[in-house]
């Protein structure tokens, strides 16, 4: 079942300039992106910094204005709804933020942080509320006494767990995870990722997983889309993309993954050199005269690539 | 014994709240601590004593005791109308401080509301509010005050507070706006939005606590500034009339060269009072400023 479907989504930010701060141009942060998320799967969005991954995710939770296109959640177009109309959907779509330091209000206790969504949607007595919060703290592996502490008393990994607990309290169907581990120590990353996978099982969650680390995305995601300058350049099952990349940008992205084994390191250097020259000679096959990627074309039933 | 250790751990668990940090910072700073004590003593005395004083009695002209030197009857002598300077000093300090307090309070309320709205919503809201601020700043302030003083039939404390508030809220609004502008880009605000929290709740319960230290510090420093403001305007002749004694009224008697040279008891105590009030509020304010900025803290 299709849970979320983006159809030709565009998010353009105005650039203001000149004396009257008129709109002089637009940043096309997301410029015609279409993909679907099936119920229960994890879909990854990868791409370099500034490629529009976060903007796509934020558009789904209405943190950005959508310029055009549709965001269909269970068949309803979220892009056309006003802030008030969207409120019931807030329960179903939640977000985990990239930075565990700025995503928790430093002046609030953990209890107030995790209970905030509950207070918006449910009428609970303080003791019921406390019980639910403690249950979720338990689920994310934090001690029940944590509820009276402030965010600065926790480590980065623990804070991210608090953020995760907060996003779970309303029992959402879809969670947008915007680089949930990129601010964390490598040793903690795996822990949080596995934990997100466990939660997916338990709550039957669908993830839209944003990241720039292909290794992480491959580990987490069933399918993924590769973004470049606001456009999807390749989309398919994670293995397909990883083992058989078709777009030159995807190839270079995969080649850029650092390798720890010394034997293959030299090969990698060669591969990157080869890809650079391939990129230059075949540029027009992948990008039009404005440097914009072409629309996606299917090359198999699951694999789509932006080719001429 | 066991219970005690348990308690100690509990106390350590609780994060230092804003008030506690402020208190610790003041305790570390001898100057601020001394200032706080002096300030509290003066204010308690002044507000306490003025309860037992009859303002009308003090303002009554008595030609039999003009320009008397300090004595046991008149602790600080009398002025040209034979009015007790000590009594005027008490009532005047109370008036001046109350005026400053209310101006600071009202400007804080206006500045805070508009600053938060402009900063949180940005865009068109911000634009409108900033243009209003620009307009108010562009008005010739002193000229406006002079005009109001001359045309208003009864010029009293309330009118004074009102017109000063009209001009002085802009700085606060700008300060709060710029802080709110940077706060709203932080993910905790975004998180609240995606959690379905309405705008007004985000502004009051998420944003406001994070600009509060800025407000407190600014409030205290403004309080000191506004005491001086009232006095200087009165001195220039655009402040309160003699019937409402203020520190400014007492000091403005020194415009008369004879008073300035020979009748020190009329204007020196009031000048000292202003100096002491402003300095001590400022010292406390500086300590608060450090408390608000973790990098500058001493404790
Ligand atoms: N509020 C905004 N106003 C103007 N431009 C914006 C805004 N938000 C994002 N952009 C621009 O949109 C582009 C895409 O940004 P986005 O945050 O989506 O990138 P990203 O793929 O998430 O990168 P990263 O990996 O660094 O997080 C960038 O060029 C950015 O400068
Ligand atoms: Mg991002």
């Amino acid at each position: 079942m299709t849970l979320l479907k983006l159809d030709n989504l565009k998010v353009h930010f105005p650039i203001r300039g000149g004396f009257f701060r008129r709109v002089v141009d637009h940043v096309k942060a997301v410029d015609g992106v279409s993909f679907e998320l099936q119920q229960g799967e994890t879909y990854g969005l990868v791409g370099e910094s500034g490629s529009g991954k976060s903007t796509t995710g934020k558009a789904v939770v209405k943190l950005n204005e959508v310029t055009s296109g549709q965001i269909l959640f269970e068949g309803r177009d979220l892009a056309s709804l006003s802030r008030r109309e969207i409120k019931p959907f807030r329960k179903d779509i939640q977000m985990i933020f990239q930075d565990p330091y700025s995503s928790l209000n430093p002046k609030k206790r953990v209890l107030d942080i995790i209970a905030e969504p509950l207070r918006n949607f449910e009428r609970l007595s303080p003791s019921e509320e406390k019980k639910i919060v403690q249950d979720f703290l338990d689920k994310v592996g934090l001690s029940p006494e944590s509820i009276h502490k402030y965010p600065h008393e926790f480590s980065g990994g623990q804070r991210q767990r608090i953020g995760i607990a907060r996003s779970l309290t309303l029992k959402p169907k879809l969670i947008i995870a915007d680089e949930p581990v990129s601010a964390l120590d490598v040793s903690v990353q795996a822990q949080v990722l596995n934990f997100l996978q466990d939660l997916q099982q338990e709550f039957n969650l669908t993830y839209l997983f944003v990241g720039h680390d292909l290794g992480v995305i491959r580990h987490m995601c069933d399918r993924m889309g590769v973004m470049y300058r606001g456009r999807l350049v390749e989309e398919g099952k994670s293995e397909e993309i990883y083992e058989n990349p078709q777009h030159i940008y995807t190839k270079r992205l995969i080649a850029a993954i650092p390798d720890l084994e010394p034997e293959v390191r030299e090969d990698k250097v060669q591969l990157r050199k080869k890809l650079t020259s391939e990129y230059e000679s075949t540029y027009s096959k992948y990008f039009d005269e404005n440097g914009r990627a072409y629309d996606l074309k299917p090359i198999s039933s699951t694999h789509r690539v932006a080719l001429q | 014994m066991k219970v005690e250790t348990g308690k100690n751990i509990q106390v350590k668990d609780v994060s230092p709240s804003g008030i506690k940090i402020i208190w610790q910072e003041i305790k570390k700073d001898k100057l601020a601590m001394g200032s706080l004590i002096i300030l509290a003593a003066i204010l308690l005395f002044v507000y306490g004593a003025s309860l037992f004083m009859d303002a009308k009695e003090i303002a009554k002209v008595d030609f039999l005791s003009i320009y008397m030197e300090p004595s046991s009857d008149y602790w600080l002598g009398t002025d040209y109308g034979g009015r007790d300077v000590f009594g005027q000093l008490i009532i005047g300090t109370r008036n001046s401080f109350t005026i400053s307090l209310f101006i600071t309070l009202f400007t804080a309320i206006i500045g805070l509301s508009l600053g938060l709205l402009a900063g949180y919503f940005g865009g068109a809201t911000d634009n409108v509010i900033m243009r209003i601020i620009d307009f108010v700043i562009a008005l010739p302030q002193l000229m406006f005050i002079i005009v109001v003083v001359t045309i208003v039939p009864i010029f009293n404390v309330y009118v004074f507070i009102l017109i000063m508030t009209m001009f002085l809220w802009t700085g606060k609004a700008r300060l709060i706006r710029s802080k709110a502008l940077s706060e709203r880009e932080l993910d905790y605000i975004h998180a609240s939005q995606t959690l379905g929290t309405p705008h007004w709740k985000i502004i009051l319960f998420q944003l406001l606590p994070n600009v509060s230290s800025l407000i407190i510090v600014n409030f205290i420093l403004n309080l000191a500034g506004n005491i001086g403001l009232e006095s200087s305007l009165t001195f220039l002749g655009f402040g309160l009339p003699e019937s409402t004694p203020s520190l400014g009224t007492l000091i403005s008697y020194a415009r008369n060269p004879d008073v300035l040279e020979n009748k020190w008891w009329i204007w020196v105590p009031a000048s000292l009072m202003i100096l002491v009030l402003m300095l001590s509020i400022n010292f406390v304010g500086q300590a608060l400023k450090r408390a608000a900025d973790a990098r500058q803290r001493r404790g």
Side-chain angles (χ1 to χ4, degrees):
Chain A
M1 190 188 91
T2 305
L3 185 68
L4 180 77
K5 179 176 174 182
L6 303 194
D7 188 14
N8 202 15
L9 179 74
K10 292 187 183 175
V11 180
H12 296 179
F13 294 109
I15 305 172
R16 290 173 191 279
F19 191 64
F20 293 106
R21 301 196 14 88
R22 263 185 316 219
V23 178
V24 290
D25 202 358
H26 288 275
V27 183
K28 297 182 176 173
V30 178
D31 198 24
V33 164
S34 311
F35 60 84
E36 287 182 16
L37 262 75
Q38 303 304 322
Q39 163 77 44
E41 78 169 340
T42 303
Y43 187 95
L45 273 184
V46 262
E48 63 188 17
S49 190
S51 55
K53 309 177 298 284
S54 298
T55 310
T56 309
K58 284 181 174 168
V60 177
V61 288
K62 273 238 161 187
L63 283 176
N64 289 325
E65 282 297 322
V66 171
T67 309
S68 72
Q70 287 188 318
I71 301 172
L72 296 164
F73 180 78
E74 294 182 325
R76 285 285 302 273
D77 182 17
L78 301 183
S80 65
L81 298 182
S82 73
R83 227 190 113 90
R84 185 164 321 136
E85 290 165 329
I86 203 119
K87 190 161 178 198
F89 292 94
R90 297 266 185 224
K91 273 180 92 153
D92 295 334
I93 310 175
Q94 283 295 313
M95 183 146 181
I96 300 170
F97 290 87
Q98 178 168 359
D99 180 2
Y101 294 90
S102 76
S103 62
L104 306 179
N105 191 335
K107 303 270 173 171
K108 297 274 169 193
R109 292 171 308 163
V110 170
L111 173 67
D112 298 317
I113 290 174
I114 298 183
E116 187 183 341
L118 286 173
R119 289 172 189 166
N120 289 333
F121 288 95
E122 268 147 64
R123 295 259 157 271
L124 296 173
S125 71
S127 59
E128 286 171 320
E129 183 184 283
K130 197 167 159 186
K131 177 147 187 324
I132 294 180
V133 170
Q134 269 170 342
D135 281 351
F136 277 102
L137 276 178
D138 189 47
K139 288 232 165 63
V140 299
L142 292 171
S143 68
E145 303 91 71
S146 307
I147 56 168
H148 295 301
K149 293 193 189 171
Y150 288 83
H152 73 258
E153 296 170 66
F154 296 92
S155 69
Q158 287 172 324
R159 283 164 175 246
Q160 201 56 305
R161 284 156 183 268
I162 295 171
I164 293 170
R166 171 174 63 183
S167 67
L168 289 175
T169 47
L170 292 173
K171 306 223 162 61
K173 296 175 183 159
L174 171 66
I175 288 190
I176 295 167
D178 187 1
E179 308 203 29
V181 295
S182 65
L184 302 179
D185 205 84
V186 181
S187 58
V188 192
Q189 284 191 1
Q191 199 191 6
V192 172
L193 289 175
N194 291 335
F195 166 68
L196 282 171
Q197 285 182 324
D198 295 344
L199 290 174
Q200 181 166 34
Q201 296 283 311
E202 187 175 344
F203 293 98
N204 189 24
L205 297 167
T206 307
Y207 286 134
L208 175 58
F209 196 99
V210 173
H212 60 255
D213 186 336
L214 259 174
V216 169
I217 295 280
R218 194 191 172 201
H219 172 74
M220 285 295 290
C221 302
D222 310 307
R223 294 192 304 131
M224 63 168 142
V226 180
M227 272 190 94
Y228 179 67
R229 296 204 188 153
R231 311 245 324 145
L232 274 182
V233 296
E234 188 158 0
E235 188 210 46
K237 292 209 171 104
S238 293
E239 318 85 66
E240 279 173 337
I241 296 210
Y242 207 78
E243 309 297 343
N244 182 23
Q246 291 298 312
H247 197 276
I248 184 68
Y249 178 72
T250 319
K251 288 182 192 170
R252 297 186 80 187
L253 204 61
I254 290 168
I257 299 173
D259 229 306
L260 295 176
E261 293 160 57
E263 309 89 69
V264 291
R265 217 178 269 166
E266 190 50 36
D267 298 348
K268 267 274 168 84
V269 174
Q270 291 305 324
L271 177 65
R272 276 178 214 150
K273 278 209 186 105
K274 200 184 114 218
L275 285 173
T276 307
S277 60
E278 187 187 333
Y279 174 76
E280 277 152 14
S281 58
T282 60
Y283 185 84
S284 62
K285 207 175 129 197
Y286 300 105
F287 301 101
D288 67 12
E289 60 272 21
N290 301 321
R292 191 170 184 263
Y294 294 109
D295 289 337
L296 291 176
K297 297 201 174 53
I299 60 163
S300 80
S301 63
T302 51
H303 196 164
R304 296 192 296 158
V305 187
L307 291 170
Q308 197 174 15
Chain B
M1 200 50 210
K2 258 187 184 163
V3 177
E4 266 222 358
T5 46
K7 254 188 184 166
N8 273 341
I9 291 165
Q10 272 249 311
V11 170
K12 268 194 180 158
D13 267 358
V14 176
S15 81
S17 65
I19 299 205
K20 227 182 211 162
I21 292 175
I22 287 172
W23 180 237
Q24 269 169 7
E25 195 58 41
I26 290 180
K27 269 202 301 200
K28 284 263 154 41
D29 185 348
K30 291 227 170 57
L31 198 59
M33 192 66 194
S35 301
L36 190 67
I37 293 171
I38 291 176
L39 195 63
I42 292 178
L43 292 180
L44 274 178
F45 178 72
V46 163
Y47 279 85
S50 67
L51 287 181
F52 302 104
M53 285 182 172
D54 186 352
K56 286 229 174 65
E57 193 58 37
I58 287 167
K60 207 182 243 166
V61 177
D62 176 5
F63 288 112
L64 295 178
S65 45
I66 288 173
Y67 285 144
M68 296 227 289
E69 287 192 23
S71 64
S72 57
D73 277 349
Y74 301 105
W75 290 356
L76 285 174
T78 60
D79 66 1
Y80 77 97
R83 292 168 292 205
D84 180 22
V85 172
F86 180 74
Q88 287 189 66
L89 183 68
I90 299 296
I91 305 260
T93 308
R94 189 199 62 183
N95 283 348
S96 291
F97 189 82
T98 311
I99 288 170
S100 171
L101 188 68
F102 277 103
I103 293 175
T104 316
L105 200 66
F106 291 150
T107 52
I109 292 170
I110 299 175
L112 198 59
S113 325
L114 292 181
L116 284 177
L117 287 179
Y120 178 76
F121 288 109
T125 318
D126 182 37
N127 245 326
V128 169
I129 292 174
M130 286 311 283
R131 291 300 80 78
I132 297 174
I133 290 177
D134 289 345
F135 173 74
V136 172
I137 289 176
L139 290 177
Q141 194 176 333
L142 200 59
M143 202 180 87
F144 227 84
I145 295 171
I146 294 170
V147 170
V148 171
V149 172
T150 32
I151 56 175
V152 164
I154 18 164
F155 188 60
N156 55 20
V157 175
Y158 307 108
V159 179
F160 187 83
I161 292 175
L162 195 78
I163 100 161
M164 292 324 291
T165 304
M166 250 175 62
F167 288 107
L168 295 176
W169 58 272
T170 53
K172 282 206 184 71
R174 274 158 60 146
L175 183 78
I176 302 294
R177 167 189 174 264
S178 60
K179 176 75 175 164
L181 266 180
S182 65
E183 285 293 312
R184 75 154 185 176
E185 293 302 324
L186 295 180
D187 278 340
Y188 74 88
I189 299 284
H190 294 152
S192 283
Q193 288 168 349
T194 62
L195 296 171
T197 312
H199 286 312
W200 67 270
K201 267 193 182 167
I202 299 181
I203 293 177
L204 283 184
F205 302 121
Q206 307 285 336
L207 193 54
L208 184 59
N210 282 289
V211 299
S212 62
S213 56
L214 191 71
I215 304 163
I216 294 172
V217 173
N218 182 264
F219 190 94
I220 300 290
L221 294 177
N222 258 299
L223 194 60
N226 288 343
I227 290 180
L229 181 85
E230 181 272 330
S231 307
S232 49
L233 273 175
T234 309
F235 187 84
L236 290 175
F238 307 114
L240 295 166
E242 276 174 29
S243 53
T244 27
S246 73
L247 293 177
T249 348
L250 283 173
I251 295 171
S252 62
Y253 287 143
R255 274 182 300 188
N256 176 347
D258 177 45
V259 172
L260 183 65
E261 255 180 77
N262 306 319
K263 317 256 172 4
W264 60 267
W265 61 85
I266 295 176
W267 61 275
V268 168
S271 311
L272 281 178
M273 182 62 93
I274 287 190
L275 196 70
V276 170
L277 282 181
M278 282 179 69
L279 279 181
S280 50
I281 295 176
N282 241 315
F283 288 138
V284 175
Q286 297 298 344
L288 290 192
K289 206 171 177 174
R290 283 196 308 273
D293 182 355
R295 276 163 305 175
Q296 291 187 21
R297 263 176 226 160
R298 291 181 184 177

